[in-house]
Amino acid sequence: MSNRYVEMGLKAPVNLTWEVSLACNLRCSHCLSSSGEPAHGELSREEALDLVEQLHRNQVFQVNFGGGEPFMRPDFEEILDACHQRGIMTCISTNGTLLDEARVARLAKSRLVAIQVSMDGATRETCDAIRGRGVYDKAIEAIRLLAATRIPTSINTVLTTQNAGEIPAMYEMAKSLGVSLRVSRFRPSGRGADNWEELRPTPAQLLAFSDWLAKSGDVRTGDSFFSLTSQERQGLGLNLCGAAKLTCCVGPTGNMYPCAFLQTDRFKAGSLREQSFKEIWDESEIYESFRNLRIHSCEECTRFDQCHGGCPAVAWHLKNDISGGDPECLERCVTSIADANRAAKAA
């Protein structure tokens, strides 16, 4: 099967997300993977280290570790060390509750690690309502430990209707702690699907966030919010879905997917227990379909060059159609608010 991305020279993802375990000591209401107990048949130590070697051979630049809570896996630091020994950059998404002085000191020995500590509010009440009682204080303590080292550290928050009004305050809090702020998009995956209607930001909140983001160039979003990208932020990051083109996801049991928000049988690209990483990346029909994906319904939109149809994962979870266009794009937010205003006036 032809693979035009291999022919163009992209022989491996620039970075990938590796969900090393579903084990987690928290039960966050927006969790993309419904983490809690370890998945049945998670990769063994030997299989995990073999994957690191495969990533090295294929010249993957960075691995973004998530879960679950990565530090719940007993051999996680050994997996990290194996990456660093091979020159692979790593970024760890953690809830921070398992970071202590000794662990932070060990992590600080490498210049190839960055850490994101998850928090979901500028206040204890807002954050703990989503992540659990006492988590806010533990996360702040972990951030202070990390900020005292050379480890690049950020607070990562998922935008929800509960914390939308606190994002500017979170930005100020991050600055006061000596770290940066990253805002991620809430997607209807895992427990997030179960709590979607309760937690999803309103169109007005999304528009307000987009306006604030346009004035906040040092706030990072990854590719989370390219559907809301303003002209002011053009060029600050990826403005189209990178799934299967620049990035991919490895699940806890070695299955590969286009992204972390599509870890379902429908989007399973292959298993590392049956094929090599390179074989799946080069030959998967699922990956090929994402590389050829075109959101034709959005092509006439004036913002198409800025968001290219938005997030296929959100389109899939809400519309059962990856090519249907992002239901939460900026234009649809504006239309939704205008329709609501007209309905209110008519009433």
Side-chain angles (χ1 to χ4, degrees):
M1 181 176 63
S2 66
N3 187 318
R4 63 192 181 91
Y5 285 90
V6 172
E7 292 169 359
M8 291 168 59
L10 190 59
K11 297 180 180 179
V14 176
N15 62 62
L16 64 86
T17 296
W18 183 355
E19 309 282 10
V20 289
S21 177
L22 282 188
C24 191
N25 56 333
L26 303 183
R27 300 294 185 272
C28 301
S29 56
H30 57 27
C31 179
L32 71 92
S33 57
S34 298
S35 294
E37 298 302 316
H40 178 70
E42 293 188 351
L43 293 179
S44 68
R45 169 185 173 276
E46 290 73 20
E47 289 173 320
L49 294 178
D50 178 69
L51 175 55
V52 172
E53 182 58 33
Q54 291 189 60
L55 299 180
H56 172 58
R57 287 201 305 268
N58 284 279
Q59 298 181 308
V60 172
F61 177 73
Q62 178 170 310
V63 177
N64 301 320
F65 285 104
E69 168 53 51
F71 290 106
M72 289 285 287
R73 182 170 171 131
D75 59 359
F76 178 55
E77 289 188 49
E78 185 177 0
I79 296 170
L80 271 182
D81 288 342
C83 288
H84 298 160
Q85 289 166 11
R86 290 161 178 78
I88 300 174
M89 297 288 297
T90 61
C91 181
I92 307 166
S93 292
T94 175
N95 59 44
T97 62
L98 302 181
L99 292 177
D100 56 22
E101 287 188 31
R103 174 164 277 160
V104 169
R106 290 196 298 273
L107 294 170
K109 292 178 181 178
S110 175
R111 293 184 178 272
L112 299 178
V113 65
I115 296 183
Q116 296 179 166
V117 178
S118 298
M119 295 184 68
D120 288 297
T123 65
R124 184 177 293 104
E125 292 74 20
T126 301
C127 184
D128 286 2
I130 291 175
R131 308 192 68 80
R133 186 174 181 180
V135 175
Y136 176 91
D137 291 332
K138 291 179 180 177
I140 291 290
E141 181 181 352
I143 292 166
R144 292 189 191 281
L145 288 173
L146 291 164
T149 73
R150 64 187 182 189
I151 299 174
T153 303
S154 60
I155 292 173
N156 184 64
T157 188
V158 176
L159 182 72
T160 63
T161 192
Q162 279 92 335
N163 68 20
E166 297 182 16
I167 299 300
M170 292 200 71
Y171 174 72
E172 296 301 327
M173 180 177 72
K175 282 206 304 184
S176 71
L177 292 168
V179 300
S180 60
L181 176 67
R182 184 181 191 275
V183 185
S184 295
R185 187 172 174 188
F186 177 43
R187 292 177 171 99
S189 173
R191 274 196 293 274
D194 299 334
N195 298 299
W196 175 248
E197 293 303 328
E198 176 188 350
L199 294 177
R200 68 183 299 186
T202 65
Q205 288 174 326
L206 289 172
L207 279 178
F209 174 72
S210 179
D211 289 342
W212 177 81
L213 199 58
K215 306 165 190 172
S216 308
D218 57 342
V219 174
R220 295 181 297 119
T221 62
D223 66 354
S224 296
F225 283 106
F226 54 89
S227 59
L228 296 176
T229 298
S230 63
Q231 190 65 43
E232 291 86 348
R233 287 182 66 88
Q234 286 291 90
L236 290 180
L238 195 65
N239 69 339
L240 76 165
C241 175
K245 308 176 189 75
L246 302 175
T247 186
C248 65
C249 174
V250 176
T253 62
N255 293 332
M256 289 178 59
Y257 305 94
C259 80
F261 298 95
L262 291 173
Q263 295 184 70
T264 67
D265 289 341
R266 164 67 178 80
F267 295 103
K268 178 182 172 182
S271 168
L272 289 166
R273 286 172 167 153
E274 299 171 2
Q275 296 175 277
S276 70
F277 178 85
K278 181 174 176 55
E279 286 172 334
I280 297 171
W281 178 257
D282 287 353
E283 301 171 10
S284 164
E285 293 183 3
I286 292 292
Y287 285 173
E288 184 75 3
S289 70
F290 271 76
R291 290 162 186 161
N292 293 320
L293 181 64
R294 299 293 181 271
I295 314 298
H296 295 297
S297 61
C298 295
E299 288 178 349
E300 299 303 316
C301 177
T302 57
R303 297 190 72 255
F304 183 73
D305 287 342
Q306 289 174 266
C307 82
H308 298 277
C311 177
V314 175
W316 170 258
H317 286 296
L318 295 184
K319 299 165 66 176
N320 201 36
D321 180 10
I322 62 171
S323 62
D326 194 322
E328 290 189 329
C329 74
L330 200 60
E331 288 298 313
R332 287 185 172 93
C333 287
V334 171
T335 301
S336 176
I337 292 172
D339 290 346
N341 289 339
R342 282 193 293 269
K345 288 179 181 178

